[in-house]
Amino acid sequence: MNLRIRTILRLLGSSVLVAVLGFWGTALAQIRPETVSSGLENPWGVAFLPSGRFLVTERPGRLRLIGADGKIGAPITGLPAIAAGGQGGLLDVLVDSGFEKNRTLYFCFSEPAANGSTNSTALARAQLSEDGAKLENLKIVFSQQPKVASRHHFGCRIIEARDGTLFLTLGDRFSRKEDAQKLDNHLGKIVRIAKDGTAPKDNPFVDKAGALPEIWSYGHRNGQGAALAPDGRLWMTEHGPQGGDEINVPQASRNYGWPVITYGENYGGGKIGDGVTAKDGMEQPLHHWVPSIAPSGMAFLTSDRYGAGWKGNLFVGSLKFGYLDRIELKDGKVVAEHKLMADGRARIRDVKQGPDGWLYVLTDESDGKLLRLRLN
């Protein structure tokens, strides 16, 4: 913007100048991925620690502390047994809102049964030692039931709500999709639990006979992204089959339809069930993609780092096409989508806004990276 235009805007008033500069800056913004760390093996989840440090999970079963300088530490010891393989392993990680006082973190993973032939998603709580080298006071606070012989559809995103409860997305395990419609199991559900693993008394199915009290919503397929919106509501992304990936805003007791309704079809073609996309008593997705993009981590941008036009946007990673989807919202609806990092060179597994206001992305590769998204 040249000096003459700036002078005119100053004469018009500072508020006009700020508005136009915000628009101008957003319009010209070009994302520049900056590598914080590389050499990670299939990283899955990232969380932020004080002093600019990071916790990153690697799906084969390692938890890493990464310094503000990008240096990757040795694997943190003290993890439980993990059924790593297929889509399973060490998955999401969450730092407790009171971490600076209690050093508590949570992580979810594929938990093997004692017989070694079945597994399920589990959530653990632990304290990170002062030197960051090991986990202490480890406790498994939730285990998905039943355990299934499967290497697929673990779900496993963790969100701390404003009231301090935890949401955990749980997949249908692929071979048990019909159980997503039943309330006597945790397959294809979102659960809401207290930090000690108990079911809050105001959960929707606490007093319902034959229903598990941890269940918040059901009829989900495989939720691999979750975030709190600026208004405190939970949003999620979930994988459809062949087509029909979804964004949902899960509400207590609601049925999100899988596998009775879907905008996708069987792999290789052919309808699922009756091939319908709507049915009474089942919620429609806020948004869906056909063809599938394989949506992963998601984050709302609340900072001013990228200009006024991006503030409040939703960002969703695509595993299939390797881009970051910037989603514009209006009145809670999707009005536009923009593909960032669209060269498709790497599967995007997680996206989070850091304490510094920048967006951070994990790429799910054998040489995975933690990226900070700067502006040119």
Side-chain angles (χ1 to χ4, degrees):
M1 188 178 296
N2 63 38
L3 181 60
R4 178 176 293 180
I5 294 174
R6 287 181 180 274
T7 301
I8 292 171
L9 287 171
R10 288 192 183 96
L11 291 173
L12 289 173
S14 60
S15 62
V16 175
L17 176 63
V18 170
V20 173
L21 286 176
F23 172 77
W24 188 282
T26 301
L28 297 180
Q30 295 293 323
I31 289 293
R32 174 172 57 86
E34 172 186 80
T35 299
V36 177
S37 289
S38 61
L40 295 161
E41 185 176 0
N42 300 109
W44 213 94
V46 59
F48 305 95
L49 293 174
S51 304
R53 298 173 300 162
F54 310 86
L55 282 174
V56 172
T57 61
E58 293 176 301
R59 194 172 68 242
R62 293 181 293 272
L63 179 62
R64 303 275 193 178
L65 193 154
I66 299 177
D69 60 358
K71 183 178 180 181
I72 301 174
I76 294 171
T77 62
L79 290 171
I82 296 173
Q87 297 172 0
L90 182 59
L91 304 175
D92 205 13
V93 60
L94 172 75
V95 170
D96 187 84
S97 56
F99 180 86
E100 293 197 51
K101 293 182 178 179
N102 61 28
R103 304 193 63 81
T104 296
L105 58 89
Y106 305 88
F107 58 90
C108 56
F109 64 103
S110 48
E111 179 185 46
N115 60 20
S117 62
T118 59
N119 53 60
S120 68
T121 301
L123 179 68
R125 182 185 70 208
Q127 277 79 47
L128 183 65
S129 63
E130 289 288 343
D131 61 3
K134 61 183 177 181
L135 298 180
E136 301 172 331
N137 303 315
L138 176 74
K139 181 179 180 181
I140 310 299
V141 296
F142 173 83
S143 292
Q144 181 188 35
Q145 298 299 325
K147 283 182 162 48
V148 176
S150 173
R151 290 155 51 99
H152 304 289
H153 294 195
F154 291 91
C156 210
R157 286 293 176 192
I158 319 163
I159 295 294
E160 181 177 353
R162 289 179 177 174
D163 64 1
T165 58
L166 302 176
F167 289 108
L168 177 64
T169 67
L170 299 171
D172 68 354
R173 308 309 316 283
F174 188 74
S175 62
R176 299 284 292 269
K177 64 180 183 292
E178 290 79 11
D179 282 333
Q181 286 295 311
K182 303 171 185 177
L183 295 175
D184 62 353
N185 66 82
H186 295 127
L187 307 183
K189 311 296 192 297
I190 291 178
V191 295
R192 174 178 176 254
I193 58 174
K195 290 178 178 178
D196 63 359
T198 59
K201 293 180 180 179
D202 59 347
N203 266 8
F205 299 112
V206 165
D207 296 320
K208 183 177 177 64
L212 297 181
E214 300 88 4
I215 296 173
W216 176 259
S217 60
Y218 63 109
H220 300 288
R221 186 171 183 266
N222 189 22
Q224 294 210 7
L228 281 190
D231 64 4
R233 290 188 300 166
L234 176 69
W235 287 46
M236 70 175 294
T237 61
E238 56 184 294
H239 288 208
Q242 185 169 279
D245 296 340
E246 297 180 355
I247 297 175
N248 284 303
V249 184
Q251 299 181 59
S253 80
R254 300 290 179 86
N255 180 354
Y256 289 82
W258 175 255
V260 179
I261 62 172
T262 177
Y263 286 88
E265 61 182 10
N266 280 311
Y267 295 109
K271 66 184 181 180
I272 293 173
D274 293 331
V276 298
T277 58
K279 189 172 183 178
D280 288 347
M282 297 182 178
E283 304 298 316
Q284 284 291 299
L286 178 86
H287 182 69
H288 69 275
W289 290 275
V290 176
S292 292
I293 70 167
S296 55
M298 66 189 302
F300 284 91
L301 182 69
T302 61
S303 79
D304 298 311
R305 285 288 196 182
Y306 303 89
W310 286 23
K311 190 173 183 177
N313 286 185
L314 178 66
F315 292 79
V316 174
S318 167
L319 292 163
K320 182 176 180 180
F321 296 116
Y323 66 80
L324 183 64
D325 195 5
R326 178 172 74 87
I327 300 173
E328 295 185 64
L329 303 166
K330 184 177 181 180
D331 299 325
K333 303 294 183 183
V334 173
V335 295
E337 297 182 71
H338 310 271
K339 296 178 182 179
L340 309 177
M341 303 170 62
D343 55 15
R345 294 179 183 175
R347 291 157 51 89
I348 294 181
R349 172 61 71 181
D350 200 9
V351 54
K352 296 274 176 58
Q353 178 182 300
D356 56 8
W358 294 114
L359 291 171
Y360 289 80
V361 164
L362 281 179
T363 64
D364 184 2
E365 306 288 331
S366 57
D367 180 16
K369 295 178 174 61
L370 173 62
L371 304 173
R372 181 187 294 115
L373 304 189
R374 300 280 198 177
L375 291 180
N376 284 331

